[in-house]
Amino acid sequence: MATASGVSSGPVLQLPSLRVGGRSSAFRGVSSGPVLQLPSLRVGGRSSAFRVPAKSLLPRRTAAGVPAGNFFVKNDVVYNGRNYHHFLPLKQRGGLQAAVLPVTPPILDDEGKRKQMAEDYGFSQIGEQLPDSVTLKDVMDTLPKEVFEIDDIKAWTSVLISVTSYALGLFFIAKAPWYLLPLAWAWTGTAATGFFVIGHDCAHKSFSRNKLVEDIVGTLAFMPLIYPYEPWRFKHDRHHAKTNMLIEDTAWQPVWQKEIESSPVLRKAIIFGYGPIRPWMSIAHWLIWHFDLNKFRQNEVPRVKISLACVFAFMAIGWPLIILKTGLAGWFKFWFMPWMVYHFWMSTFTMVHHTAPHIPFKSSEEWNAAQAQLNGTVHCNYPRWIEILCHDINVHVPHHISPRIPSYNLRAAYDSIKQNWGKYVNEANWNWRLMKTILTRCHVYDKERYYVPFDELTPEESQPIKFLRKFMPDYA
């Protein structure tokens, strides 16, 4: 039996006698060709003649661009009581050669591959890898100084836009027949997201030169959303300092394999949470991160308590007033449904800004600030009315280069980034394929592949993911 040639590292499986089967095209992502069926292999059991590290036997993505006619080995691996299909590429050079090949991350310096990835993932552009030598300061120094300037008129105009559009939405809800209520909720919830963006600017000290004004406006803007301003501000600062850093980023984290192996109940909850209900997972983030005093430093706790008191005051006074005036159905109609739309945008913006199969989470030892903020942040275009009501929060790359840029200057800053660093930028137009990619592929952390989908690791329990793959539109 010949061994694989040209493989510098990784375990090599000595394969038993192989028999060539018939042609098959049932394997997703694998070019059609003869398939060699290996007998089942049990890892770590007593019957095994040798031990192979479990990680090396987890599913691996077949290399892109494999020409039709190549041979593939289908190997059934049993690990932790579950079956995995493991495809091994074979080269036909007068004999069969096989190996477990280490999988490398997407090759971002290949223009053709980037274009293909962009089409597959629903992007309009996937940028090149930023060189390691480039620092975040290098990028920031190319921005015009005027994009950092605070304009009080523009800042308060954004407040006027949000208040007016939100009031218009409430009027629309009050007057709309039942069949138009979804449109009224969509508008009102999107307008409420504008309140969040105003508070977001206040938290980054880019709303006013008066810091007391920023604290007051930020707290008031967050109150109708029952979002505690100071707890969010403390955690959000960490998100900017540690964007896409494993464990440290407080916006969100990929799932760890040990989490989905911990218990069946938790596994099902995680699969639903990172699958069908992911556009509302910011509700779980809101609950987990912002109300537990133990998650904050001692010097932060007094300000956290003030914000919590404001939120609870709104719930204790605002909610009863709504119910008194409109009934419980009115509370659901005027407050709860717009609040759910707001959380849809919170979750969606967060997902789209930092999640894609080619954008990695890295450990603190490997993390690079400039790459995380420029390569690891996505610019996504939305329908213009959404961008107006949400104050251009979708123009997110410059915001991660410097959070001190006010929202009304983000477009000018991005124009500058496009001129100087355009080939490194990730861009998309919000579309079904983009959302489908995130919801069905970006699940469990893997250092080599970045993400492993749930249905590769737990196929029997991943019906929600399979449902999304089958029924979500693929339009880009």
Side-chain angles (χ1 to χ4, degrees):
M1 174 60 61
T3 59
S5 61
V7 179
S8 59
S9 62
V12 177
L13 298 182
Q14 295 293 333
L15 304 178
S17 298
L18 305 176
R19 183 177 60 174
V20 177
R23 288 184 173 270
S24 172
S25 60
F27 310 116
R28 181 172 299 177
V30 180
S31 303
S32 61
V35 176
L36 305 180
Q37 179 71 49
L38 272 69
S40 296
L41 173 68
R42 186 171 298 277
V43 179
R46 292 188 178 184
S47 61
S48 177
F50 57 91
R51 298 180 65 87
V52 182
K55 179 179 178 182
S56 67
L57 290 176
L58 290 179
R60 290 287 186 259
R61 178 169 51 198
T62 304
V66 177
N70 274 17
F71 287 92
F72 288 87
V73 174
K74 181 189 176 193
N75 182 20
D76 292 326
V77 179
V78 179
Y79 173 59
N80 280 356
R82 290 196 293 275
N83 291 317
Y84 297 107
H85 298 308
H86 189 58
F87 293 96
L88 309 178
L90 298 176
K91 295 181 180 179
Q92 188 180 25
R93 294 178 180 172
L96 292 180
Q97 298 177 321
V100 180
L101 299 177
V103 174
T104 57
I107 303 173
L108 296 181
D109 57 357
D110 185 316
E111 183 178 359
K113 184 166 185 178
R114 289 200 313 273
K115 288 183 178 179
Q116 184 61 53
M117 289 165 56
E119 182 178 350
D120 291 344
Y121 300 162
F123 280 72
S124 54
Q125 174 180 308
I126 288 179
E128 297 179 21
Q129 178 82 16
L130 190 70
D132 293 340
S133 59
V134 177
T135 67
L136 194 58
K137 185 177 184 302
D138 293 335
V139 181
M140 198 181 309
D141 287 346
T142 64
L143 294 174
K145 292 182 179 179
E146 54 266 24
V147 302
F148 298 94
E149 295 176 359
I150 293 174
D151 186 319
D152 290 333
I153 295 177
K154 290 181 179 179
W156 287 103
T157 298
S158 67
V159 174
L160 181 62
I161 289 172
S162 289
V163 171
T164 303
S165 59
Y166 186 70
L168 181 62
L170 294 178
F171 178 79
F172 189 11
I173 292 173
K175 300 298 183 181
W178 66 267
Y179 52 86
L180 291 181
L181 280 176
L183 293 177
W185 290 331
W187 173 276
T188 311
T190 307
T193 308
F195 288 145
F196 175 85
V197 178
I198 291 168
H200 177 266
D201 269 16
C202 292
H204 286 301
K205 311 302 179 189
S206 60
F207 181 82
S208 172
R209 297 175 184 85
N210 187 316
K211 303 314 169 191
L212 178 60
V213 169
E214 287 184 321
D215 288 342
I216 294 172
V217 172
T219 299
L220 293 175
F222 274 35
M223 279 177 64
L225 310 173
I226 57 174
Y227 223 110
Y229 171 74
E230 292 289 357
W232 174 84
R233 180 173 72 86
F234 292 135
K235 297 304 179 185
H236 187 68
D237 284 346
R238 190 171 183 85
H239 162 62
H240 276 272
K242 310 288 185 180
T243 302
N244 281 21
M245 184 186 291
L246 282 171
I247 301 173
E248 301 296 331
D249 191 343
T250 56
W252 83 282
Q253 290 280 323
V255 178
W256 291 88
Q257 187 166 344
K258 63 182 179 181
E259 293 177 315
I260 63 172
E261 293 176 347
S262 59
S263 76
V265 174
L266 180 60
R267 179 163 56 250
K268 290 179 180 179
I270 291 174
I271 290 172
F272 269 97
Y274 277 72
I277 65 171
R278 196 167 182 177
W280 289 274
M281 276 298 285
S282 60
I283 297 174
H285 185 273
W286 161 74
L287 283 170
I288 292 169
W289 280 99
H290 303 98
F291 293 90
D292 184 355
L293 295 179
N294 295 321
K295 293 186 181 294
F296 301 94
R297 301 184 183 95
Q298 198 61 39
N299 65 323
E300 296 172 342
V301 169
R303 297 181 72 91
V304 169
K305 288 181 177 179
I306 293 173
S307 289
L308 293 178
C310 292
V311 165
F312 292 138
F314 180 86
M315 295 169 67
I317 299 172
W319 282 2
L321 288 176
I322 296 172
I323 294 171
L324 182 65
K325 184 70 175 177
T326 64
L328 191 59
W331 174 86
F332 178 87
K333 181 175 163 182
F334 286 96
W335 185 84
F336 180 76
M337 289 306 295
W339 185 74
M340 291 295 287
V341 173
Y342 152 70
H343 271 288
F344 170 83
W345 288 122
M346 277 287 291
S347 301
T348 298
F349 287 148
T350 303
M351 283 190 298
V352 172
H353 287 161
H354 302 290
T355 312
H358 67 284
I359 295 178
F361 270 75
K362 294 185 177 182
S363 65
S364 56
E365 294 79 15
E366 300 173 312
W367 188 79
N368 177 293
Q371 291 173 356
Q373 310 297 8
L374 187 60
N375 281 144
T377 304
V378 176
H379 173 88
C380 186
N381 297 307
Y382 292 80
R384 187 61 187 139
W385 70 272
I386 296 173
E387 296 178 341
I388 292 172
L389 294 186
C390 296
H391 308 300
D392 287 336
I393 193 62
N394 60 295
V395 188
H396 211 61
V397 176
H399 175 65
H400 268 265
I401 300 302
S402 175
R404 291 298 183 93
I405 300 174
S407 58
Y408 44 81
N409 288 336
L410 289 173
R411 289 193 178 275
Y414 188 63
D415 288 343
S416 173
I417 290 171
K418 285 280 288 182
Q419 291 174 10
N420 294 288
W421 307 94
K423 65 180 181 179
Y424 303 111
V425 169
N426 293 294
E427 289 187 321
N429 297 310
W430 193 46
N431 63 78
W432 280 107
R433 185 178 298 172
L434 178 68
M435 294 296 289
K436 186 175 184 177
T437 296
I438 295 171
L439 296 178
T440 63
R441 298 193 192 189
C442 300
H443 299 147
V444 181
Y445 169 73
D446 182 89
K447 185 174 182 179
E448 294 176 345
R449 294 175 56 184
Y450 300 165
Y451 293 102
V452 178
F454 288 133
D455 50 352
E456 285 191 22
L457 298 180
T458 59
E460 300 86 358
E461 297 175 285
S462 296
Q463 290 87 355
I465 306 304
K466 295 175 183 177
F467 177 86
L468 293 177
R469 286 190 195 279
K470 184 175 181 179
F471 291 104
M472 278 189 75
D474 198 41
Y475 306 133

